[in-house]
Amino acid sequence: MSTEHAILNVDDFISADTSSTTTCTHPSNMTHNKYSVLLPTYNERENLPIITWLLARTFTQENIDWEIVIIDDGSPDGTLEVAKQLQTLYGEDHIQLRPRAGKLGLGTAYVHGLQFATGNFIIIMDADFSHHPKYIPQMIKLQAEHNYDIVSGTRYLPGGGVYGWDLKRKLVSRGANYLATLLLRPKSSDLTGSFRLYKKEVLFQLINATLAKGYVFQMEMIVRARQFNYSVGEVPITFVDRVYGESKMGVSEITQYAQGVWRLFMTI
């Protein structure tokens, strides 16, 4: 599937969504900052061209210096080949390709991508439209206003929400957040979320301190932020279940999460 074809297929979706985007006016002192998006991928051939287009449009409209670091874990569906086309389209200064040989876990993907990021701020997000780039300007603006170390997108504050999940998955997510909040007292309302903006040096320290490498990684990172007294701001977001492909969340990830919460409770 070509890049152009994928973009045209969702043109109606993009146009409809634009009307709900909140335009943020950035302070002039933000223009010297650069934002690196770490984008781990596995079988995201259909999604990658569209999320890249949306990111590029958002950053360009807001006059933000940017790059995307794509970390593909040997996707058998040809995601890397699509990423190479995107690099040709947008340029190597905006698209970095940092593939790995196989599926090695989400946490290690961020560790790998961070080594190559040239921005002084890092954005982590999913490639499957669960996280819409339209929230990034709000996250940047909030960080600049309060000098937050971390800004996290949250589904669980007024203005946030989830679409496309059945009742079971909503209960699992709420239960996971409640369990971790009860035991660990973090500074975040959404521990399992993975749409965040970090100061680069903060992310380095958190990654070095974090033991988990799978889906528990996100939760442990925000708990470690409390341990190091990092400041955390939150922006309400609407999380939308993936457009193409299947969710990679399974029983093993839920089990790992519960074990991770207990380990942190015993050690922090």
Side-chain angles (χ1 to χ4, degrees):
M1 178 186 66
S2 69
T3 302
E4 293 81 5
H5 181 64
I7 293 172
L8 290 173
N9 277 345
V10 295
D11 189 58
D12 292 340
F13 160 77
I14 293 169
S15 299
D17 184 76
T18 302
S19 62
S20 64
T21 304
T22 301
T23 301
C24 296
T25 302
H26 306 304
S28 59
N29 64 357
M30 278 198 286
T31 56
H32 70 278
N33 292 323
K34 183 174 182 178
Y35 296 83
S36 299
V37 180
L38 302 187
L39 211 59
T41 59
Y42 187 78
N43 287 346
E44 300 290 358
R45 177 184 175 91
E46 290 89 356
N47 294 321
L48 186 59
I50 310 167
I51 195 67
T52 301
W53 190 89
L54 289 169
L55 282 165
R57 185 189 67 166
T58 299
F59 288 130
T60 301
Q61 287 179 344
E62 299 291 335
N63 194 29
I64 297 169
D65 192 8
W66 63 280
E67 68 174 359
I68 302 171
V69 183
I70 299 172
I71 308 108
D72 186 65
D73 275 4
S75 298
D77 73 340
T79 298
L80 184 58
E81 285 67 35
V82 171
K84 290 177 180 177
Q85 295 177 40
L86 293 170
Q87 187 180 58
T88 299
L89 181 63
Y90 292 101
E92 294 184 7
D93 56 330
H94 286 309
I95 306 291
Q96 285 200 55
L97 305 182
R98 301 298 177 180
R100 302 191 296 175
K103 195 174 182 183
L104 303 174
L106 184 63
T108 59
Y110 289 131
V111 173
H112 180 71
L114 187 58
Q115 300 175 59
F116 304 101
T118 61
N120 56 321
F121 285 92
I122 307 295
I123 296 168
I124 63 173
M125 62 186 298
D126 294 342
D128 59 6
F129 309 123
S130 298
H131 306 136
H132 199 292
K134 70 181 181 180
Y135 297 108
I136 290 176
Q138 299 174 45
M139 297 168 80
I140 292 174
K141 183 173 185 289
L142 183 65
Q143 188 284 322
E145 289 175 345
H146 301 277
N147 195 28
Y148 284 127
D149 297 308
I150 305 164
V151 175
S152 180
T154 177
R155 298 161 288 183
Y156 301 127
L157 286 181
V162 175
Y163 289 96
W165 280 3
D166 58 21
L167 179 60
K168 179 181 178 181
R169 191 168 179 188
K170 288 181 179 179
L171 289 175
V172 168
S173 179
R174 282 285 191 177
N177 272 280
Y178 177 77
L179 175 65
T181 300
L182 181 66
L183 295 177
L184 303 174
R185 305 296 179 185
K187 297 179 179 179
S188 175
S189 63
D190 193 344
L191 278 79
T192 58
S194 55
F195 191 8
R196 295 176 188 160
L197 166 67
Y198 291 89
K199 292 180 178 177
K200 188 175 186 178
E201 65 274 14
V202 169
L203 184 55
F204 263 119
Q205 183 170 6
L206 290 175
I207 281 179
N208 288 333
T210 298
L211 301 177
K213 301 302 178 186
Y215 281 89
V216 187
F217 183 82
Q218 303 290 6
M219 181 268 295
E220 183 169 347
M221 290 267 283
I222 210 72
V223 172
R224 296 284 182 189
R226 185 208 65 181
Q227 180 185 20
F228 294 126
N229 293 315
Y230 286 135
S231 56
V232 181
E234 294 189 306
V235 169
I237 66 166
T238 298
F239 179 97
V240 180
D241 202 13
R242 62 169 42 246
V243 177
Y244 297 112
E246 298 179 356
S247 172
K248 302 172 183 71
M249 177 65 70
V251 175
S252 63
E253 284 77 20
I254 296 171
T255 302
Q256 289 174 24
Y257 181 86
Q259 292 172 342
V261 170
W262 181 251
R263 174 177 53 79
L264 289 170
F265 176 70
M266 297 298 293
T267 57
I268 295 182

